[in-house]
Amino acid sequence: MTKKAKIPLQKIEALKKRLQKLPIKNTAKSREEAVEVLASSFQDALEKGYTPKELRSIFAEEGVALPLSLLRKHVEEEQHIPLRKHAGTVEKAADKEANSPLGIIIKLDTPDEDL
């Protein structure tokens, strides 16, 4: 039989403390990931009337260079996706139906409870 090695409790505690103090190794994000992380704030700024070009300038002021094409791509994707339910209607997020040819409003004539 082989004898199992035993590790002193002091060493285990020292290792535990050292592991807990380790910094996050990779905190950098790609441009696409940055846009995803900032998506809700980005969308809020668009709803406040800022253009992607103006937002790109704000990003640049913070030292983050994002191509305008990436921001525009994000805007195009967002215009087709988010639908919110509000008291018997389904409408595009932030009332974009007035600004978009793809705007949708569906008024349901049957409450969800009766379905």
Side-chain angles (χ1 to χ4, degrees):
M1 266 191 204
T2 60
K3 187 176 178 182
K4 294 184 179 180
K6 295 192 179 200
I7 303 168
L9 188 55
Q10 288 177 321
K11 290 218 182 246
I12 294 171
E13 290 296 323
L15 283 168
K16 181 179 178 181
K17 287 179 184 177
R18 186 170 178 189
L19 291 173
Q20 288 174 343
K21 290 180 183 179
L22 288 174
I24 296 174
K25 198 169 185 177
N26 184 6
T27 59
K29 302 281 184 196
S30 69
R31 291 175 174 179
E32 292 80 8
E33 290 170 325
V35 171
E36 287 177 26
V37 169
L38 296 168
S40 65
S41 298
F42 184 74
Q43 197 63 33
D44 289 343
L46 291 172
E47 290 171 8
K48 290 178 182 177
Y50 288 88
T51 65
K53 192 172 185 177
E54 290 170 319
L55 295 176
R56 183 181 70 165
S57 296
I58 293 170
F59 281 89
E61 289 172 11
E62 293 295 324
V64 178
L66 292 177
L68 194 54
S69 60
L70 177 61
L71 298 178
R72 285 187 177 142
K73 178 183 172 189
H74 175 73
V75 170
E76 289 171 7
E77 289 172 357
E78 287 297 314
Q79 286 179 348
H80 300 297
I81 295 173
L83 292 176
R84 297 182 188 160
K85 285 188 174 185
H86 294 287
T89 64
V90 177
E91 58 187 38
K92 272 201 141 196
D95 296 323
K96 287 193 180 359
E97 64 275 355
N99 300 330
S100 171
L102 298 175
I104 300 171
I105 296 180
I106 301 172
K107 295 197 181 223
L108 302 175
D109 58 356
T110 306
D112 288 344
E113 299 84 7
D114 296 341
L115 294 177

